[in-house]
Amino acid sequence: MKIFLAIVLVVTVAACKNDRRETNRAVYYWKQSFSLTAPEQQKLAGLGVETFYVKYFDIAWNSQQQRALPVAKIRFKDTAYLRIKNLIPTVFITNEVFYQLDSSQIKMLAQNTVSLLKKYLALYAFDKVPELQMDCDWTATTKNKYFYFLNELKKRPIAKTLSATIRLHQLKYTVSSGIPPVDKGLLMCYNMGNLQNVQAKNSIIDYQEFKKYEAYIASYPLPLDVGLPIFEWFVLFRNDKYAGLFQNIPAGFLEKCKKQGRHLFEVTKDSVLSGRLLKAGDLLRYEPSEAAAVKKIATSLSQRLGAGKLNVVLYHCDSITLSKYTADDLEDIYSRLRHY
């Protein structure tokens, strides 16, 4: 009987071990100046975050100069902290760039992108990085040019791994979207709905919307890391048409608005907010990434992903964002991706 119980115990423990995948906890850093406060460092350390996807710059189309240019370049104020972490440079490139350029210009853009990245890596003495990530919401129309750009980057490697972000629509419609020629993808599990639709409830995260795509995760032909949201914003509508975004709005301002449901606020008189004119009748839709919603999607993701090593990346890291989540909630989000 004792031998039988011992065997059962061994089998049970082995099963528990085998249903766990290796996860690496990470965050996106999307601001122009890298410097973490002591509370930020403490919270991230408590969560075991060792990897930072840092946006180095954007590449956008400059209509006046008629060329693609780097903008919003990073400045590092605290390099000592990052040197003991895993740094993954990330570059965001607008889809418009690929509408404008031909193949010879794209080849030059790849050369310039690598040169600028090498310059920044040398300037701040980040000699080796494990991965470079490109972030672009490409379309069926631009996929060939974007993929050519990625192949040109691979000819000039600055890291062992080249990755690309994958939106949910790119995950589902692989025939029209194509598969980027990279080593792995990062599935962006946010910005799921139509931001500009006044009828939408929450364009950042919507479980029912996510359900339309999750069946395609297991069959996607690239290894996938995952990105989950921990950000919020207010979407402005004027005459039921999209009119912009606000990252933060003081509670005092919202108290003067007329509530139209849980997350919808109507401006009652002409006002100036963050230097912008709001008119009476404008609507502000509050879109949070509530912890319960993120956890629900994390659980579904975990059941669809394979057993391989997985980077779990929260978007994004700043003091305001982190302060709105308890350490227990963030721990729970990360932990849900450990099981499959």
Side-chain angles (χ1 to χ4, degrees):
M1 183 66 177
K2 289 182 179 180
I3 295 175
F4 173 76
L5 290 174
I7 293 173
V8 170
L9 180 61
V10 169
V11 171
T12 302
V13 170
C16 290
K17 287 183 179 179
N18 289 337
D19 72 352
R20 289 196 173 196
R21 66 169 62 88
E22 183 182 353
T23 59
N24 178 38
R25 299 179 176 193
V27 292
Y28 273 113
Y29 193 94
W30 219 249
K31 297 186 289 186
Q32 282 185 247
S33 178
F34 187 92
S35 180
L36 295 183
T37 65
E40 288 171 340
Q41 292 187 27
Q42 184 177 8
K43 197 161 195 175
L44 293 173
L47 292 165
V49 172
E50 295 291 329
T51 300
F52 289 77
Y53 288 72
V54 178
K55 182 175 72 71
Y56 267 49
F57 49 86
D58 301 336
I59 300 175
W61 181 252
N62 186 301
S63 57
Q64 291 183 334
Q65 298 188 36
Q66 287 293 296
R67 59 177 179 153
L69 292 175
V71 295
K73 301 173 187 176
I74 189 72
R75 298 186 306 275
F76 288 96
K77 293 184 177 179
D78 187 356
T79 57
Y81 177 83
L82 270 182
R83 283 201 186 88
I84 58 173
K85 305 297 179 182
N86 298 315
L87 168 64
I88 298 177
T90 302
V91 176
F92 173 75
I93 184 165
T94 66
N95 194 39
E96 183 186 6
V97 165
F98 297 107
Y99 279 108
Q100 302 292 341
L101 301 182
D102 60 26
S103 58
S104 62
Q105 293 169 320
I106 291 172
K107 184 174 182 178
M108 181 60 68
L109 178 63
Q111 292 175 353
N112 293 339
T113 300
V114 169
S115 294
L116 185 55
L117 284 166
K118 286 182 175 179
K119 176 183 175 181
Y120 272 95
L121 290 171
L123 178 63
Y124 295 105
F126 295 119
D127 298 324
K128 293 183 179 180
V129 290
E131 180 181 334
L132 168 65
Q133 183 173 99
M134 296 303 304
D135 180 17
C136 178
D137 189 6
W138 81 89
T139 62
T141 306
T142 60
K143 69 176 181 182
N144 290 336
K145 289 184 176 182
Y146 177 51
F147 293 176
Y148 178 71
F149 173 76
L150 292 173
N151 276 317
E152 288 299 313
L153 289 180
K154 289 173 73 174
K155 293 177 183 178
R156 306 163 177 82
I158 65 169
K160 181 179 179 181
T161 300
L162 177 64
S163 67
T165 53
I166 311 294
R167 271 73 175 172
L168 289 172
H169 68 91
Q170 295 159 349
L171 174 84
K172 181 176 181 179
Y173 301 107
T174 53
V175 173
S176 58
S177 295
I179 309 298
V182 293
D183 300 300
K184 64 177 180 175
L186 185 140
L187 182 61
M188 292 174 51
C189 299
Y190 48 93
N191 295 351
M192 300 176 182
N194 186 348
L195 172 74
Q196 300 188 23
N197 183 355
V198 71
Q199 301 298 327
K201 293 182 179 179
N202 189 326
S203 67
I204 295 176
I205 184 167
D206 182 332
Y207 182 69
Q208 294 307 315
E209 188 67 21
F210 175 76
K211 294 287 285 183
K212 299 175 184 178
Y213 300 94
E214 66 173 353
Y216 300 89
I217 294 173
S219 61
Y220 196 73
L222 285 176
L224 290 174
D225 293 322
V226 296
L228 291 164
I230 54 167
F231 67 98
E232 63 184 27
W233 57 32
F234 290 82
V235 189
L236 174 66
F237 293 93
R238 181 167 295 157
N239 299 322
D240 289 342
K241 293 184 178 180
Y242 172 77
L245 285 173
F246 288 91
Q247 294 298 327
N248 296 291
I249 294 181
F253 182 89
L254 295 174
E255 290 170 0
K256 298 175 184 178
C257 295
K258 180 181 178 181
K259 286 201 73 173
Q260 294 189 359
R262 185 183 175 196
H263 288 156
L264 197 62
F265 302 84
E266 180 182 346
V267 179
T268 55
K269 65 178 182 178
D270 291 359
S271 310
V272 176
L273 180 64
S274 299
R276 296 168 62 182
L277 175 64
L278 298 187
K279 295 183 178 181
D282 286 353
L283 295 176
L284 289 163
R285 184 175 68 212
Y286 173 52
E287 297 190 349
S289 300
E290 294 179 334
V294 181
K295 291 176 186 179
K296 193 171 185 179
I297 286 178
T299 298
S300 291
L301 272 171
S302 191
Q303 295 166 354
R304 298 284 183 173
L305 293 162
K309 187 176 181 180
L310 177 71
N311 284 357
V312 183
V313 194
L314 300 185
Y315 181 91
H316 67 113
C317 172
D318 70 17
S319 56
I320 295 175
T321 298
L322 289 175
S323 68
K324 294 185 178 181
Y325 295 83
T326 67
D328 287 343
D329 277 336
L330 294 175
E331 174 65 35
D332 193 359
I333 291 168
Y334 278 126
S335 294
R336 289 180 186 232
L337 273 301
R338 292 176 61 192
H339 302 276
Y340 61 91

